[in-house]
Structure formats: C-alpha cells, structure tokens
Amino acid sequence: MGHSSVNFLDDKNLIVDFLDSRSQVMVNYVNNSASRFSLWYKNLAHSDLTNRGKRNGSHEGLEKNLLYYLSVPEMKAIEEANKKPFESAKQSNIGMSDAFYRDLGVERLQRRIGPQQTQHEHIVLNDTVDVFLVNETVQYFTMPYTNKVIHKLAKGVRWDDSETITCAEGDFTPIQITQAIHGLGTANDTEFHKLRLSMFCNDTFIVLIEHCAGRKKMYVMLDKNPRFYTLAGVNNTAWENYLKTKRSQEEARLTAKTTLDVEDEKNRNRQSKWKVLLANEMMNYTTHEGEVFCPFTQISGNFEAVPMLFIASHIKRFSDSDCDEAFDINNGLLLCANADALFDKHMITVDENKKLIFSFLIDNDYMLKQKLLLNQPIFEIVLNEKRMEYMKDHREIFFKKEQERKRMSV
C-alpha cells in the first residue's frame, strides 16, 4: 500500500463547510479571521501509521496489525476476497505531498544520492511555522479508547494508558512536529508521537495553514473513521452537534418555505457529507487504498475517482426517520445504483441471517440476478447490530409491499 492521496482546499467557504462537522472552534476561528487559509487532509494509510501498530514482516500474524478497525478473522476474509495481503511495517511517517510543503513554506527533504549509510537529517517544522493541535478534535485519540477498540477486536494487547497526549488549557496546544524523509512525525516529537499511537488506518489527518503576516500558523486536526464509534460504543459528538446546528439554522431560515423546500435544503446540506462517512467506513474493508465497494454486489472502485458509482442508501426510510436516525451512519449503506434502486423500492431486503431476500417478481429470474451481481453472499461484516435493527423496519415494509404486489398481480 502506498500513501493515500492528499486533498487540498483553498476557498474559504469550502474550508468552513469541510470543518463544520469536525471542529466548531476552527469554524469560528476561520470566520472571524481576515487571514488567507489553505486546508490539506488525507485518510491515513498503512504507511502513515506508526510501526508499533504494524506487524514486522509476513512471519508475524495479523494480530500484530493493531491499528486497523478489523479483527483477525475479518482481515483474513478480506485478504482472501481481495487476493492481496495486508502489508507489513515499512515507512511509518505521515506522507504529505510536495505541494503541501511548498504551501507551508518548508523545504521538502530529498533522498540523498548514493549509499544510504546514515540517517537522513530531519527538519523541525516549528523552526519555520507555529504548530498547534486543535484540542477538541483529539477527544478519542487517547490510549484508553485505543485499548478499548483493540480489546473489542480481540487483538490481545494492551498499551500503557499513560501514553496519552497532554493538552494545554483552552482551544489549542503548541506541539512539535518533525519532517523525516518519508513524512511527518518522529520519536522526538514526544506528544505528537503519543497521539500517533491512537491513529488508525482510515482516520483522517487534517492540516489548516493560516497565511498571516510574519510566521505562518499550522493547525492539526484529527477525525475518527465512522467504524471507530461502532466499535468503541461512543457517539460522534462533532457530527451530532453539526446536525443539531444545521437543523436549528434551517428551522429559523426556512419557516416560510414549503415542507418540500425544507427537505431539499436538508438533503443538500447533509447528504453529501453522510455519503463520505459511509465511503470512509467501507475503505476499512479492502486492502486497496481509497477503494470502496457495494456490500450487495461487490462492485468496487476508488471513491475519490468515481463517487458517482455509489449511492448513500437509507435503510429506514428518510421520511420515516427522526432527526437522530436520518443521518445516523448505521442507518445507511453505500450501494451501487442498481442495488440501491431495488433496495429503495423494497424489491430486495436482508433477512435475520444477513441473506438477501428477493421479491417474488424477480426471485426466479436467475439471469437477471446474475447480471445484477446479486447471486452471491452479502459482505456481512458491514451489517453490524445497529444496522440490523434498522433492517427490521426495512424488512417489515418489504413484506407489506410484497402482499400489495401479489394482490395486484392476481
């Protein structure tokens, strides 16, 4: 696995929209500042993780790959399905692009020509820019939560809970970050190194650069992958606060509009972000960086390249969901268009054993099911307990519609 791609935003409105569901502190900061900002973010790949959370060679078992949101049986199943093994430890710095370093105004380390007999020199970013951690974004990047997830995945290891970063009072913590040849972070960055021990594959690493008079400022933020919240049994408070804020804003602004206008506005504000959350979750279940797939058909693709191939599909219908359910990550599945069309119309559903059920109208059409790639097992791992609770509602509507369809066919 190579480094996952680094994404860039430099429009202030787009930056605020990106941060809106992640850090209200930084939204307020950007909105109240006259500075120019640029934002860089990436989903962490295997090569970005600290070596302490990775197995050192194929001779070690998958239980040594701690910083994945996957159990060993899940990893083995994914290896078999993808015909590609999970990687072993190699480089272990957070890889960033050349453009990122140019934007930051820091020299990019280059590999020296000739035999590599000595360690490359390192560059401390703080010698050029002021570096801060945004405290509210590291709530779950602490060793107690990390150990809780590792235990839930039955990996049989417990790290020292004292290896948790100490944040300063207030909104920001000054922090040292060093650039090594492969990217950001070395053992000399004491507090940042502690933080990195709780960064799992497919968490999001975010850097906001403030281009102000004098020294630039660099604000580091982190965002947990949706799979974390399911495993840790905690709420995504930043996402929930975002939804509550949007609801309040919409209610105040749209009282004079029709119900349809209100619903359209809600969808525009939240559906795309919800789809990205579903996609980020699905990235945990493949050995290919950035790849997502439909759990019903196994149709796959790089989400950044072809997001239009996939649809964020509600399990319990949006119109029947309350405010908390409407954009609950577990009330959704990332499906390809054909599967979504059938699922949305309740022509297919999922039974208690996580098997597809087909309407009688297509159940015996084996050729159609084959062409639609629906004649294979569902990818069951994604159907966690909470999703199966929502699926009861979907199944109930399916059977009601089946009765109606059968009456109409007589």
Side-chain angles (χ1 to χ4, degrees):
M1 297 182 188
H3 287 306
S4 59
S5 60
V6 183
N7 301 282
F8 171 69
L9 298 172
D10 63 355
D11 178 274
K12 195 168 186 176
N13 290 329
L14 293 178
I15 289 173
V16 168
D17 182 66
F18 178 89
L19 294 174
D20 212 9
S21 58
R22 295 172 171 89
S23 173
Q24 198 57 46
V25 164
M26 291 314 297
V27 167
N28 295 338
Y29 187 87
V30 172
N31 279 334
N32 293 325
S33 173
S35 298
R36 180 173 70 86
F37 293 91
S38 53
L39 186 140
W40 301 81
Y41 66 98
K42 68 177 300 187
N43 285 348
L44 294 172
H46 177 89
S47 51
D48 299 313
L49 305 179
T50 175
N51 275 342
R52 185 165 155 195
K54 299 187 283 194
R55 62 175 177 173
N56 294 302
S58 57
H59 62 282
E60 291 193 343
L62 287 170
E63 71 278 358
K64 297 293 186 179
N65 270 343
L66 298 173
L67 300 181
Y68 281 82
Y69 294 116
L70 297 167
S71 66
V72 172
E74 288 171 340
M75 296 181 82
K76 288 180 178 177
I78 291 166
E79 281 190 334
E80 183 177 342
N82 284 274
K83 304 295 190 291
K84 182 180 179 182
F86 285 92
E87 287 202 13
S88 303
K90 293 176 184 175
Q91 61 228 49
S92 60
N93 310 104
I94 300 175
M96 302 297 285
S97 64
D98 289 345
F100 165 78
Y101 291 106
R102 288 195 298 270
D103 191 35
L104 196 60
V106 174
E107 179 186 357
R108 172 68 184 268
L109 281 176
Q110 301 295 329
R111 186 175 292 278
R112 291 196 297 264
I113 298 173
Q116 308 299 315
Q117 297 177 341
T118 59
Q119 187 180 43
H120 287 75
E121 69 278 10
H122 292 159
I123 295 176
V124 179
L125 299 188
N126 306 65
D127 291 341
T128 305
V129 300
D130 295 327
V131 184
F132 301 94
L133 180 67
V134 181
N135 292 344
E136 72 173 351
T137 71
V138 300
Q139 176 185 2
Y140 296 124
F141 288 82
T142 58
M143 200 53 66
Y145 282 112
T146 297
N147 280 325
K148 186 174 184 178
V149 170
I150 290 174
H151 176 73
K152 185 73 177 286
L153 295 170
K155 298 255 175 112
V157 174
R158 184 173 182 86
W159 289 352
D160 188 347
D161 277 358
S162 67
E163 292 182 293
T164 292
I165 187 169
T166 302
C167 290
E169 294 291 329
D171 294 330
F172 308 116
T173 298
I175 192 169
Q176 175 180 298
I177 299 182
T178 301
Q179 180 197 170
I181 189 65
H182 292 301
L184 302 179
T186 70
N188 291 330
D189 302 327
T190 305
E191 293 302 306
F192 189 57
H193 184 66
K194 291 179 184 176
L195 196 62
R196 290 190 64 213
L197 292 174
S198 293
M199 295 184 194
F200 283 63
C201 194
N202 289 311
D203 289 343
T204 306
F205 179 74
I206 306 163
V207 173
L208 181 72
I209 301 174
E210 182 177 7
H211 303 265
C212 47
R215 287 165 61 93
K216 295 179 181 178
K217 295 179 180 178
M218 170 177 162
Y219 298 93
V220 175
M221 290 164 276
L222 297 166
D223 194 15
K224 277 294 184 186
N225 186 275
R227 175 104 163 127
F228 164 84
Y229 300 100
T230 299
L231 291 170
V234 296
N235 295 328
N236 185 347
T237 52
W239 175 250
E240 291 177 351
N241 289 337
Y242 160 76
L243 293 177
K244 290 176 183 177
T245 300
K246 287 301 179 186
R247 284 198 297 271
S248 298
Q249 291 173 348
E250 288 159 1
E251 288 167 2
R253 189 172 67 248
L254 301 172
T255 51
K257 293 191 176 184
T258 67
T259 302
L260 181 60
D261 288 334
V262 172
E263 293 305 319
D264 286 346
E265 185 75 10
K266 288 179 179 179
N267 276 317
R268 282 194 294 272
N269 284 335
R270 301 196 285 263
Q271 186 77 15
S272 61
K273 287 178 180 261
W274 191 61
K275 180 177 178 179
V276 171
L277 286 177
L278 287 167
N280 286 343
E281 180 189 20
M282 291 307 296
M283 289 176 194
N284 289 302
Y285 306 122
T286 175
T287 55
H288 302 274
E289 304 298 349
E291 185 179 57
V292 299
F293 62 94
C294 168
F296 289 178
T297 67
Q298 313 297 321
I299 289 175
S300 64
N302 184 287
F303 183 74
E304 190 173 312
V306 287
M308 70 292 297
L309 285 181
F310 303 94
I311 295 173
S313 186
H314 278 85
I315 301 174
K316 183 176 181 179
R317 291 186 297 195
F318 183 88
S319 58
D320 295 337
S321 300
D322 62 28
C323 293
D324 293 328
E325 294 170 336
F327 291 102
D328 178 0
I329 188 71
N330 290 302
N331 190 21
L333 290 168
L334 192 73
L335 302 178
C336 68
N338 287 340
D340 170 72
L342 293 171
F343 190 70
D344 183 60
K345 299 300 182 184
H346 295 85
M347 292 289 286
I348 59 174
T349 191
V350 178
D351 70 13
E352 298 89 340
N353 298 313
K354 303 183 181 179
K355 310 299 180 188
L356 275 180
I357 303 175
F358 296 87
S359 168
F360 78 97
L361 294 173
I362 60 175
D363 192 30
N364 294 323
D365 194 338
Y366 302 108
M367 185 65 71
L368 175 63
K369 289 194 285 189
Q370 182 176 349
K371 289 178 179 178
L372 293 175
L373 302 178
L374 292 171
N375 56 351
Q376 57 192 323
I378 293 175
F379 182 76
E380 295 184 10
I381 296 172
V382 74
L383 294 175
N384 58 46
E385 184 177 340
K386 195 168 183 184
R387 280 200 171 99
M388 291 303 289
E389 284 294 317
Y390 282 117
M391 199 65 73
K392 291 178 182 177
D393 183 87
H394 190 275
R395 209 161 41 241
E396 182 179 331
I397 295 175
F398 170 87
F399 287 122
K400 287 180 180 179
K401 286 186 174 290
E402 273 293 88
Q403 291 177 354
E404 294 171 6
R405 288 187 283 252
K406 287 177 179 178
R407 281 197 298 269
M408 294 295 291
S409 67
V410 174

